[in-house]
Amino acid sequence: MDASVIIVGAGPAGLMLAGELRLAGVGVIVLERLPGRTGESRGIGLAPRTMEVLDQRGLLGRFGGIETSEQGHFGGIPVDFGPLVAVHGAARTVPQSATETVLEDWARELGADIRRGREFVGLTDHGDHVEVRVRDSAGEQRLRARYLVGCDGGRSAVRKEAGFDFPGTAATTEMFLADLRGVDLEPRMVADRVSGGMVMVNRLGDGIVRIVVGERGAPPQRRDGPPAFSEVADAWKRLTGIDIAHAEPLWVSAFGDATRQVTEYRRGRVLLAGDSAHIHLPAGGQGMNTGIQDAVNLGWKLAAVVRGTAPETLLETYHEERHEIGRRLLANTRAQSLLLLGGDEVQPLRDLLGELAGFDEVARYLAGRAGGFDIRYDAGSGHPLLGMRMPHLELERTAAGRPGRVTGSTELLRAGRGVLLDLEDNPHLRRRADGWTDRIDVVTAAPHGPAPRGALEGAAAVLVRPDGHVAWIAPGSRHDLPMALERWFGPGR
Ligand SMILES: Cc1cc2nc3c(=O)[nH]c(=O)nc-3n(C[C@H](O)[C@H](O)[C@H](O)COP(=O)(O)OP(=O)(O)OC[C@H]3O[C@@H](n4cnc5c(N)ncnc54)[C@H](O)[C@@H]3O)c2cc1C
């Protein structure tokens, strides 16, 4: 084998997955068609949940200071992440290229073999391994791996070659994006509906302004390259009356509202993550966030299967959990598209939703959707936190009854391993986890400080998966601890 896992695509999903697999000690090759980074950034937003996910791996510091906000929107209806946010708000001016650089550096430091200028062109699934055909300047070569993961974006060749079904709807409209220098426009961070469509303006720093413009009813075009800047400037003028034709375009791009999702996230030894599995209008800036979270859901499971500590059935939970998230993503981007791009006929619905958002429970629901906090995987019934993300908790670690270092629960996930958090210094409980200590860390700690423990009030112990989701909690889980450990981490030693 050339590697245990081959990943196609060094975008955010592929790079995050490469880092996750390396954290677990799995050999990985990443094949990327482009010879170098383009510096282009479709996404500029990190959702609060993605901020937490990056924090779990200690990556936030590498961004060099991120400005965050607790305000967001759902289809233009303001939402407040405040009540749900423990530590981080949303970041709205982090270029996707910066996120990719951070992830690539991290994955390389961990030993990922990232090969640029290599195009995936075909595969054969032999049942016990996958053979991959790769083209580079020297010709074509074949590589073998136990698993192949397509993280090669919306036009995924892996998806096509492996025969995944990708049903959905074709694009009905087209919008433009342009990064400009030499023009000063007032920020319009939340998509601003204007007569005839919507516009957005973000200041990206260094005098660069990002504009997005969508004219209602603009039909999708067949394009071989990016649109001319004059098309964008004309649309901008029609919608805002402002002439930006003199600006220097640094990057111009068109995108549509095609909405599709694969019916299965795994076929044999081939898996998909990120845009290769789901495409949609980038309303609410969720695609990259979802791709990163796909990767964080898949990484530890694939690593456990490759290393032989968990059965292959663990991979089924990747499809079960993330297909449902993708389905909800498509539904919510469709809803947001209607709210943002619809005409006056949608106004009564906007007004009604705006009124409903005044109710606390609805506000929390919309903020959960927009922030990525509402994800609940099936971890059995019982305690309300089961399957949800582990809320951040300040902890004082204790060793043999002595007070110890203060740490955050998020920090405990840095190694990408599961964590059994024993909040009541219970040696009996810790002994029950003995058979799994090669895969999970057992941490004895007490909540630190006066901050309320929220949903963790009354919890004596919590088992957290490497992706930060609660797999078991006591009291409150119907299953016992060894059952939960076996379900998520494979049989004990
Ligand atoms: C205008 C716009 C704004 C957006 N804003 C946001 C936002 O604010 N927040 C957000 O979360 N998302 C946003 N998105 C969506 C986001 O950009 C994508 O969801 C994200 O890039 C998907 O990441 P990925 O890793 O799955 O795929 P990609 O980023 O598309 O990466 C795929 C990689 O695979 C490589 N590749 C393709 N084919 C091959 C091949 N055959 N062989 C080898 N390599 C190959 C490509 O070169 C590429 O590097 C936005 C999108 C648009 C269009």
Side-chain angles (χ1 to χ4, degrees):
M1 291 294 152
D2 295 283
S4 295
V5 179
I6 292 178
I7 297 171
V8 180
L15 293 168
M16 188 80 216
L17 181 61
E20 292 289 292
L21 290 169
R22 284 306 304 146
L23 261 188
V26 169
V28 58
I29 294 176
V30 182
L31 302 170
E32 168 56 51
R33 178 169 60 188
L34 299 175
R37 298 215 152 281
T38 62
E40 292 165 358
S41 285
R42 282 174 280 160
I44 50 171
L46 292 171
R49 176 61 192 149
T50 308
M51 296 281 285
E52 290 179 351
V53 163
L54 295 173
D55 196 9
Q56 283 174 183
R57 300 296 184 254
L59 295 173
L60 282 185
R62 295 179 179 232
F63 286 84
I66 301 182
E67 213 176 288
T68 61
S69 159
E70 292 195 354
Q71 304 306 309
H73 75 96
F74 183 90
I77 292 162
V79 298
D80 180 5
F81 299 126
L84 297 169
V85 172
V87 188
H88 308 290
R92 283 212 203 80
T93 50
V94 178
Q96 185 168 327
S97 61
T99 304
E100 289 171 3
T101 302
V102 164
L103 294 177
E104 179 161 350
D105 290 351
W106 174 63
R108 278 190 197 278
E109 283 162 27
L110 290 169
D113 179 357
I114 300 174
R115 302 182 184 179
R116 292 190 163 272
R118 310 290 207 291
E119 183 179 13
F120 162 91
V121 288
L123 69 92
T124 310
D125 185 341
H126 290 283
D128 61 347
H129 72 278
V130 194
E131 192 170 75
V132 174
R133 293 206 316 281
V134 189
R135 195 181 295 139
D136 64 15
S137 54
E140 202 171 289
Q141 73 177 120
R142 284 163 197 262
L143 297 174
R144 293 186 315 150
R146 291 185 55 198
Y147 288 92
L148 170 68
V149 189
C151 296
D152 50 340
R155 300 206 165 113
S156 172
V158 174
R159 184 180 67 224
K160 288 173 201 140
E161 290 293 316
F164 284 87
D165 274 343
F166 196 43
T169 51
T172 60
T173 191
E174 180 184 63
M175 296 172 69
F176 298 126
L177 169 157
D179 288 348
L180 308 173
R181 213 191 284 279
V183 67
D184 191 24
L185 297 169
E186 270 306 299
R188 296 170 168 196
M189 304 282 267
V190 172
D192 200 352
R193 276 177 301 98
V194 289
S195 149
M198 61 130 293
V199 294
M200 252 172 105
V201 181
N202 284 71
R203 288 195 177 135
L204 300 185
D206 289 339
I208 300 169
V209 168
R210 149 95 32 119
I211 62 164
V212 173
V213 50
E215 272 187 292
R216 193 169 311 120
Q221 307 285 334
R222 281 202 159 274
R223 295 181 185 274
D224 293 328
F229 175 54
S230 56
E231 283 185 75
V232 184
D234 290 349
W236 188 263
K237 183 143 191 210
R238 282 193 293 275
L239 291 195
T240 66
I242 300 171
D243 187 357
I244 54 167
H246 60 282
E248 178 195 355
L250 304 175
W251 182 46
V252 180
S253 175
F255 57 95
D257 63 343
T259 302
R260 295 180 182 278
Q261 185 186 20
V262 287
T263 51
E264 48 194 352
Y265 277 32
R266 175 189 173 199
R267 270 174 76 81
R269 293 203 162 248
V270 185
L271 298 113
L272 299 178
D275 277 16
S276 66
H278 39 74
I279 57 166
H280 53 86
L281 190 83
Q286 302 174 84
M288 178 183 67
N289 286 283
T290 306
I292 288 174
Q293 291 177 40
D294 286 347
V296 172
N297 185 287
L298 175 60
W300 61 280
K301 295 175 181 172
L302 187 54
V305 171
V306 164
R307 299 186 68 189
T309 53
E312 219 176 306
T313 47
L314 183 62
L315 287 180
E316 285 163 21
T317 67
Y318 171 60
H319 165 81
E320 287 158 12
E321 294 181 347
R322 295 309 296 179
H323 185 275
E324 174 58 14
I325 298 302
R327 189 194 63 74
R328 284 161 53 101
L329 166 75
L330 264 49
N332 103 44
T333 51
R334 276 193 170 114
Q336 295 201 59
S337 309
L338 273 177
L339 292 166
L340 289 169
L341 296 174
D344 290 345
E345 74 285 0
V346 181
Q347 196 52 43
L349 207 53
R350 287 185 197 112
D351 293 342
L352 181 67
L353 208 51
E355 280 170 35
L356 287 173
F359 293 92
D360 284 351
E361 209 162 321
V362 179
R364 280 179 77 89
Y365 181 85
L366 291 177
R369 271 282 168 109
F373 294 122
D374 62 341
I375 296 172
R376 177 196 294 280
Y377 300 138
D378 180 10
S381 56
H383 198 284
L385 260 189
L386 280 169
M388 302 294 286
R389 89 210 215 263
M390 167 79 180
H392 183 84
L393 198 61
E394 284 296 302
L395 297 165
E396 185 166 343
R397 290 177 84 140
T398 50
R402 291 192 308 275
R405 188 167 78 79
V406 173
T407 180
S409 55
T410 309
E411 254 179 67
L412 301 178
L413 292 161
R414 295 277 145 95
R417 287 158 57 87
V419 175
L420 175 64
L421 190 55
D422 166 18
L423 293 164
E424 292 195 342
D425 198 356
N426 179 346
H428 171 67
L429 175 96
R430 296 199 295 271
R431 267 198 304 278
R432 302 195 82 196
D434 274 352
W436 287 270
T437 49
D438 56 336
R439 282 153 271 174
I440 67 162
D441 294 323
V442 179
V443 176
T444 305
H448 174 77
R453 291 167 65 182
L456 277 168
E457 199 60 59
V462 191
L463 175 66
V464 188
R465 309 189 325 182
D467 57 3
H469 283 259
V470 174
W472 175 89
I473 192 162
S477 286
R478 302 250 155 83
H479 301 302
D480 69 359
L481 177 62
M483 271 176 80
L485 285 164
E486 178 152 355
R487 175 172 180 203
W488 297 111
F489 299 97
R493 281 168 303 158

PDB file of all heavy atoms in Angstrom, residues 66-89:
ATOM      1  N   ILE A  66      -8.600  36.596  15.612  1.00  0.00           N
ATOM      2  CA  ILE A  66      -9.810  36.597  14.775  1.00  0.00           C
ATOM      3  C   ILE A  66     -10.846  37.482  15.451  1.00  0.00           C
ATOM      4  O   ILE A  66     -11.116  37.342  16.638  1.00  0.00           O
ATOM      5  CB  ILE A  66     -10.401  35.176  14.648  1.00  0.00           C
ATOM      6  CG1 ILE A  66      -9.391  34.219  14.038  1.00  0.00           C
ATOM      7  CG2 ILE A  66     -11.666  35.198  13.810  1.00  0.00           C
ATOM      8  CD1 ILE A  66      -9.930  32.808  13.836  1.00  0.00           C
ATOM      9  N   GLU A  67     -11.403  38.380  14.666  1.00  0.00           N
ATOM     10  CA  GLU A  67     -12.485  39.218  15.199  1.00  0.00           C
ATOM     11  C   GLU A  67     -13.792  38.438  15.106  1.00  0.00           C
ATOM     12  O   GLU A  67     -14.115  37.906  14.031  1.00  0.00           O
ATOM     13  CB  GLU A  67     -12.586  40.448  14.311  1.00  0.00           C
ATOM     14  CG  GLU A  67     -13.013  41.688  15.059  1.00  0.00           C
ATOM     15  CD  GLU A  67     -12.979  42.866  14.114  1.00  0.00           C
ATOM     16  OE1 GLU A  67     -11.866  43.306  13.752  1.00  0.00           O
ATOM     17  OE2 GLU A  67     -14.075  43.296  13.734  1.00  0.00           O
ATOM     18  N   THR A  68     -14.494  38.328  16.213  1.00  0.00           N
ATOM     19  CA  THR A  68     -15.737  37.545  16.163  1.00  0.00           C
ATOM     20  C   THR A  68     -16.928  38.393  16.585  1.00  0.00           C
ATOM     21  O   THR A  68     -16.780  39.444  17.204  1.00  0.00           O
ATOM     22  CB  THR A  68     -15.670  36.317  17.093  1.00  0.00           C
ATOM     23  OG1 THR A  68     -15.480  36.763  18.428  1.00  0.00           O
ATOM     24  CG2 THR A  68     -14.573  35.363  16.689  1.00  0.00           C
ATOM     25  N   SER A  69     -18.092  37.882  16.233  1.00  0.00           N
ATOM     26  CA  SER A  69     -19.315  38.595  16.590  1.00  0.00           C
ATOM     27  C   SER A  69     -20.359  37.588  17.055  1.00  0.00           C
ATOM     28  O   SER A  69     -20.399  36.450  16.562  1.00  0.00           O
ATOM     29  CB  SER A  69     -19.833  39.340  15.354  1.00  0.00           C
ATOM     30  OG  SER A  69     -21.198  39.618  15.501  1.00  0.00           O
ATOM     31  N   GLU A  70     -21.173  37.996  17.998  1.00  0.00           N
ATOM     32  CA  GLU A  70     -22.232  37.101  18.458  1.00  0.00           C
ATOM     33  C   GLU A  70     -23.506  37.289  17.642  1.00  0.00           C
ATOM     34  O   GLU A  70     -24.519  36.665  17.911  1.00  0.00           O
ATOM     35  CB  GLU A  70     -22.494  37.327  19.945  1.00  0.00           C
ATOM     36  CG  GLU A  70     -21.310  36.883  20.778  1.00  0.00           C
ATOM     37  CD  GLU A  70     -21.613  36.731  22.248  1.00  0.00           C
ATOM     38  OE1 GLU A  70     -22.731  37.085  22.661  1.00  0.00           O
ATOM     39  OE2 GLU A  70     -20.726  36.261  22.975  1.00  0.00           O
ATOM     40  N   GLN A  71     -23.418  38.197  16.668  1.00  0.00           N
ATOM     41  CA  GLN A  71     -24.596  38.435  15.825  1.00  0.00           C
ATOM     42  C   GLN A  71     -24.456  37.676  14.514  1.00  0.00           C
ATOM     43  O   GLN A  71     -23.393  37.650  13.920  1.00  0.00           O
ATOM     44  CB  GLN A  71     -24.749  39.933  15.517  1.00  0.00           C
ATOM     45  CG  GLN A  71     -24.815  40.823  16.748  1.00  0.00           C
ATOM     46  CD  GLN A  71     -25.899  40.365  17.718  1.00  0.00           C
ATOM     47  OE1 GLN A  71     -27.039  40.159  17.329  1.00  0.00           O
ATOM     48  NE2 GLN A  71     -25.534  40.186  18.987  1.00  0.00           N
ATOM     49  N   GLY A  72     -25.522  37.058  14.097  1.00  0.00           N
ATOM     50  CA  GLY A  72     -25.533  36.382  12.804  1.00  0.00           C
ATOM     51  C   GLY A  72     -26.871  36.633  12.143  1.00  0.00           C
ATOM     52  O   GLY A  72     -27.636  37.525  12.549  1.00  0.00           O
ATOM     53  N   HIS A  73     -27.156  35.869  11.112  1.00  0.00           N
ATOM     54  CA  HIS A  73     -28.471  36.020  10.492  1.00  0.00           C
ATOM     55  C   HIS A  73     -28.925  34.701   9.886  1.00  0.00           C
ATOM     56  O   HIS A  73     -28.101  33.815   9.607  1.00  0.00           O
ATOM     57  CB  HIS A  73     -28.444  37.107   9.410  1.00  0.00           C
ATOM     58  CG  HIS A  73     -27.777  36.673   8.147  1.00  0.00           C
ATOM     59  ND1 HIS A  73     -28.470  36.181   7.066  1.00  0.00           N
ATOM     60  CD2 HIS A  73     -26.466  36.641   7.793  1.00  0.00           C
ATOM     61  CE1 HIS A  73     -27.626  35.884   6.089  1.00  0.00           C
ATOM     62  NE2 HIS A  73     -26.401  36.160   6.507  1.00  0.00           N
ATOM     63  N   PHE A  74     -30.209  34.559   9.764  1.00  0.00           N
ATOM     64  CA  PHE A  74     -30.770  33.410   9.060  1.00  0.00           C
ATOM     65  C   PHE A  74     -31.614  33.983   7.930  1.00  0.00           C
ATOM     66  O   PHE A  74     -32.683  34.543   8.180  1.00  0.00           O
ATOM     67  CB  PHE A  74     -31.631  32.557  10.011  1.00  0.00           C
ATOM     68  CG  PHE A  74     -32.167  31.318   9.346  1.00  0.00           C
ATOM     69  CD1 PHE A  74     -31.456  30.133   9.373  1.00  0.00           C
ATOM     70  CD2 PHE A  74     -33.370  31.341   8.649  1.00  0.00           C
ATOM     71  CE1 PHE A  74     -31.931  28.990   8.740  1.00  0.00           C
ATOM     72  CE2 PHE A  74     -33.855  30.209   8.018  1.00  0.00           C
ATOM     73  CZ  PHE A  74     -33.132  29.033   8.057  1.00  0.00           C
ATOM     74  N   GLY A  75     -31.084  33.927   6.739  1.00  0.00           N
ATOM     75  CA  GLY A  75     -31.817  34.477   5.591  1.00  0.00           C
ATOM     76  C   GLY A  75     -32.118  35.951   5.755  1.00  0.00           C
ATOM     77  O   GLY A  75     -33.144  36.438   5.286  1.00  0.00           O
ATOM     78  N   GLY A  76     -31.238  36.690   6.451  1.00  0.00           N
ATOM     79  CA  GLY A  76     -31.421  38.121   6.635  1.00  0.00           C
ATOM     80  C   GLY A  76     -32.130  38.456   7.935  1.00  0.00           C
ATOM     81  O   GLY A  76     -32.194  39.629   8.323  1.00  0.00           O
ATOM     82  N   ILE A  77     -32.666  37.449   8.643  1.00  0.00           N
ATOM     83  CA  ILE A  77     -33.321  37.705   9.940  1.00  0.00           C
ATOM     84  C   ILE A  77     -32.247  37.635  11.019  1.00  0.00           C
ATOM     85  O   ILE A  77     -31.573  36.599  11.156  1.00  0.00           O
ATOM     86  CB  ILE A  77     -34.441  36.690  10.192  1.00  0.00           C
ATOM     87  CG1 ILE A  77     -35.549  36.973   9.181  1.00  0.00           C
ATOM     88  CG2 ILE A  77     -34.976  36.760  11.615  1.00  0.00           C
ATOM     89  CD1 ILE A  77     -36.508  35.890   8.978  1.00  0.00           C
ATOM     90  N   PRO A  78     -32.022  38.733  11.749  1.00  0.00           N
ATOM     91  CA  PRO A  78     -30.907  38.740  12.707  1.00  0.00           C
ATOM     92  C   PRO A  78     -31.073  37.656  13.774  1.00  0.00           C
ATOM     93  O   PRO A  78     -32.184  37.406  14.247  1.00  0.00           O
ATOM     94  CB  PRO A  78     -31.002  40.132  13.351  1.00  0.00           C
ATOM     95  CG  PRO A  78     -31.854  40.942  12.433  1.00  0.00           C
ATOM     96  CD  PRO A  78     -32.774  39.989  11.748  1.00  0.00           C
ATOM     97  N   VAL A  79     -29.966  36.995  14.094  1.00  0.00           N
ATOM     98  CA  VAL A  79     -29.974  36.035  15.202  1.00  0.00           C
ATOM     99  C   VAL A  79     -28.824  36.382  16.139  1.00  0.00           C
ATOM    100  O   VAL A  79     -27.817  36.952  15.723  1.00  0.00           O
ATOM    101  CB  VAL A  79     -29.844  34.559  14.737  1.00  0.00           C
ATOM    102  CG1 VAL A  79     -30.993  34.133  13.865  1.00  0.00           C
ATOM    103  CG2 VAL A  79     -28.515  34.301  14.036  1.00  0.00           C
ATOM    104  N   ASP A  80     -29.010  36.005  17.395  1.00  0.00           N
ATOM    105  CA  ASP A  80     -28.035  36.308  18.430  1.00  0.00           C
ATOM    106  C   ASP A  80     -27.478  34.989  18.957  1.00  0.00           C
ATOM    107  O   ASP A  80     -28.215  34.183  19.527  1.00  0.00           O
ATOM    108  CB  ASP A  80     -28.759  37.077  19.556  1.00  0.00           C
ATOM    109  CG  ASP A  80     -27.820  37.448  20.680  1.00  0.00           C
ATOM    110  OD1 ASP A  80     -26.606  37.202  20.550  1.00  0.00           O
ATOM    111  OD2 ASP A  80     -28.320  37.986  21.697  1.00  0.00           O
ATOM    112  N   PHE A  81     -26.159  34.764  18.718  1.00  0.00           N
ATOM    113  CA  PHE A  81     -25.569  33.513  19.195  1.00  0.00           C
ATOM    114  C   PHE A  81     -25.324  33.558  20.705  1.00  0.00           C
ATOM    115  O   PHE A  81     -24.999  32.547  21.309  1.00  0.00           O
ATOM    116  CB  PHE A  81     -24.226  33.243  18.498  1.00  0.00           C
ATOM    117  CG  PHE A  81     -24.332  33.102  17.006  1.00  0.00           C
ATOM    118  CD1 PHE A  81     -23.549  33.870  16.157  1.00  0.00           C
ATOM    119  CD2 PHE A  81     -25.213  32.196  16.448  1.00  0.00           C
ATOM    120  CE1 PHE A  81     -23.638  33.730  14.780  1.00  0.00           C
ATOM    121  CE2 PHE A  81     -25.317  32.043  15.079  1.00  0.00           C
ATOM    122  CZ  PHE A  81     -24.533  32.821  14.245  1.00  0.00           C
ATOM    123  N   GLY A  82     -25.454  34.744  21.289  1.00  0.00           N
ATOM    124  CA  GLY A  82     -25.091  34.961  22.694  1.00  0.00           C
ATOM    125  C   GLY A  82     -25.524  33.858  23.643  1.00  0.00           C
ATOM    126  O   GLY A  82     -24.697  33.267  24.329  1.00  0.00           O
ATOM    127  N   PRO A  83     -26.824  33.563  23.691  1.00  0.00           N
ATOM    128  CA  PRO A  83     -27.261  32.569  24.674  1.00  0.00           C
ATOM    129  C   PRO A  83     -26.673  31.179  24.444  1.00  0.00           C
ATOM    130  O   PRO A  83     -26.666  30.353  25.341  1.00  0.00           O
ATOM    131  CB  PRO A  83     -28.789  32.528  24.472  1.00  0.00           C
ATOM    132  CG  PRO A  83     -29.136  33.758  23.720  1.00  0.00           C
ATOM    133  CD  PRO A  83     -27.929  34.152  22.939  1.00  0.00           C
ATOM    134  N   LEU A  84     -26.181  30.899  23.224  1.00  0.00           N
ATOM    135  CA  LEU A  84     -25.673  29.559  22.920  1.00  0.00           C
ATOM    136  C   LEU A  84     -24.162  29.491  22.934  1.00  0.00           C
ATOM    137  O   LEU A  84     -23.570  28.432  23.004  1.00  0.00           O
ATOM    138  CB  LEU A  84     -26.139  29.128  21.516  1.00  0.00           C
ATOM    139  CG  LEU A  84     -27.640  28.987  21.318  1.00  0.00           C
ATOM    140  CD1 LEU A  84     -27.966  28.840  19.852  1.00  0.00           C
ATOM    141  CD2 LEU A  84     -28.153  27.789  22.087  1.00  0.00           C
ATOM    142  N   VAL A  85     -23.537  30.656  22.833  1.00  0.00           N
ATOM    143  CA  VAL A  85     -22.090  30.688  22.678  1.00  0.00           C
ATOM    144  C   VAL A  85     -21.415  30.612  24.034  1.00  0.00           C
ATOM    145  O   VAL A  85     -21.681  31.410  24.914  1.00  0.00           O
ATOM    146  CB  VAL A  85     -21.659  31.995  21.980  1.00  0.00           C
ATOM    147  CG1 VAL A  85     -20.149  32.141  21.996  1.00  0.00           C
ATOM    148  CG2 VAL A  85     -22.173  32.007  20.554  1.00  0.00           C
ATOM    149  N   ALA A  86     -20.516  29.644  24.202  1.00  0.00           N
ATOM    150  CA  ALA A  86     -19.778  29.594  25.455  1.00  0.00           C
ATOM    151  C   ALA A  86     -18.498  30.396  25.323  1.00  0.00           C
ATOM    152  O   ALA A  86     -18.121  31.128  26.213  1.00  0.00           O
ATOM    153  CB  ALA A  86     -19.465  28.153  25.806  1.00  0.00           C
ATOM    154  N   VAL A  87     -17.839  30.281  24.210  1.00  0.00           N
ATOM    155  CA  VAL A  87     -16.524  30.896  24.082  1.00  0.00           C
ATOM    156  C   VAL A  87     -16.387  31.762  22.828  1.00  0.00           C
ATOM    157  O   VAL A  87     -15.899  32.878  22.892  1.00  0.00           O
ATOM    158  CB  VAL A  87     -15.411  29.810  24.058  1.00  0.00           C
ATOM    159  CG1 VAL A  87     -14.038  30.451  24.120  1.00  0.00           C
ATOM    160  CG2 VAL A  87     -15.569  28.855  25.222  1.00  0.00           C
ATOM    161  N   HIS A  88     -16.816  31.238  21.678  1.00  0.00           N
ATOM    162  CA  HIS A  88     -16.545  31.935  20.420  1.00  0.00           C
ATOM    163  C   HIS A  88     -17.820  32.372  19.709  1.00  0.00           C
ATOM    164  O   HIS A  88     -18.813  31.658  19.718  1.00  0.00           O
ATOM    165  CB  HIS A  88     -15.780  31.027  19.456  1.00  0.00           C
ATOM    166  CG  HIS A  88     -14.562  30.416  20.061  1.00  0.00           C
ATOM    167  ND1 HIS A  88     -13.455  31.165  20.368  1.00  0.00           N
ATOM    168  CD2 HIS A  88     -14.286  29.159  20.434  1.00  0.00           C
ATOM    169  CE1 HIS A  88     -12.539  30.373  20.908  1.00  0.00           C
ATOM    170  NE2 HIS A  88     -13.020  29.154  20.962  1.00  0.00           N
ATOM    171  N   GLY A  89     -17.738  33.520  19.050  1.00  0.00           N
ATOM    172  CA  GLY A  89     -18.800  33.945  18.163  1.00  0.00           C
ATOM    173  C   GLY A  89     -18.452  33.511  16.739  1.00  0.00           C
ATOM    174  O   GLY A  89     -17.633  32.621  16.524  1.00  0.00           O
TER     175      GLY A  89
END
